[in-house]
Amino acid sequence: MQETVIEAGRSEKHYWADVVRFRELLWILAVRDITVRYKQTMIGVAWAVVRPIMTVLVFVFAFHKVAKIEDTSGVDFKIIVFTGVIFWNFFATAFQQVSNSITGNANLVSKVYFPRLLMPLSSVAVPLLDFFVGFVVLVPFLIYSGISVDYHLLFVPIFLFFAFMAALSLGIIFASLNVQYRDFQQIVPLIVQYGFFICPVAYSTSSIKELSWYPFYTWLNPLAGIIEGFRWCLIPNYPFFTWDSFLPTIIFVCITTTIAIIFFRKRENSFVDYI
């Protein structure tokens, strides 16, 4: 049987076929990233639980105990923060991992050709694992806190998918730029740091819903709809999410994904020149 040769610059039809054919490489890269992340650690993936819990404790102490800031949603502040942090950590970590996926695999890029899109895709494995581990802890915590989780829990994959696509599409754009301009390596952590406060992570949108600029906030900050949607899945009768507020997220993800794929494909063949 004649072996198919994988070459750079393949047509779109053959390129996506190559992505599927190289799914084993995708799995190998994902397993490698997970192994490297938790290699020689004493508690391993338990860090996926320790990190958000420590973040929740700090914010509850700083905002709730010291600053006496009250969330107007009527929901326990710890639950608001915990649900926000779990989801934000997934997006932020995935965004950072994808943004550094090309430069972080410079040895592979410079030696052999394969669909480069596999590198950003595989780099989301660690954030996904962290999210699932944290989610397994979050649900019992909600039940212990008196929250009766209902059928809305079935909608979690929808919001997880859109968070995944938002992180992947934005990360792919930054990864493509980062190959030639390493300044973007410094910009990504700033976006994550400031985004934590701009997005409703440690607060709910109930705190700003009555403000005149709130409609602009939902359109300029599409991640808000994802985070509030995640809370809606976990907190019965959570009133601060509507599917109308999720529309900006859907539009944002569709636009950024299209731009990211086109931009990545145009720059993909030049990566080896700058690595």
Side-chain angles (χ1 to χ4, degrees), residues 38-110:
Y38 295 110
K39 184 179 181 181
Q40 293 182 327
T41 59
M42 294 180 63
I43 62 176
V45 294
W47 280 110
V49 178
V50 172
R51 283 193 299 269
I53 288 178
M54 293 300 295
T55 303
V56 170
L57 292 176
V58 168
F59 272 89
V60 168
F61 176 76
F63 287 0
H64 198 52
K65 301 298 182 182
V66 177
K68 303 296 182 182
I69 297 175
E70 297 289 340
D71 187 84
T72 59
S73 65
V75 181
D76 188 339
F77 188 68
K78 294 190 295 295
I79 294 175
I80 289 293
V81 178
F82 202 171
T83 51
V85 166
I86 286 286
F87 219 68
W88 174 257
N89 281 355
F90 167 71
F91 170 81
T93 307
F95 176 45
Q96 289 179 299
Q97 294 281 99
V98 174
S99 299
N100 296 319
S101 59
I102 305 300
T103 53
N105 290 283
N107 56 330
L108 291 177
V109 174
S110 59

Side-chain angles (χ1 to χ4, degrees), residues 241-252:
F241 169 79
T242 62
W243 288 102
D244 290 342
S245 66
F246 195 55
L247 180 61
T249 301
I250 297 174
I251 295 174
F252 172 79

Side-chain angles (χ1 to χ4, degrees), residues 212-257:
S212 60
W213 47 265
Y214 176 74
F216 300 100
Y217 174 83
T218 58
W219 281 97
L220 295 175
N221 188 0
L223 290 176
I226 302 179
I227 296 172
E228 288 292 70
F230 181 61
R231 290 191 176 116
W232 173 81
C233 294
L234 299 171
I235 304 172
N237 302 317
Y238 186 74
F240 307 108
F241 169 79
T242 62
W243 288 102
D244 290 342
S245 66
F246 195 55
L247 180 61
T249 301
I250 297 174
I251 295 174
F252 172 79
V253 168
C254 290
I255 292 175
T256 54
T257 300

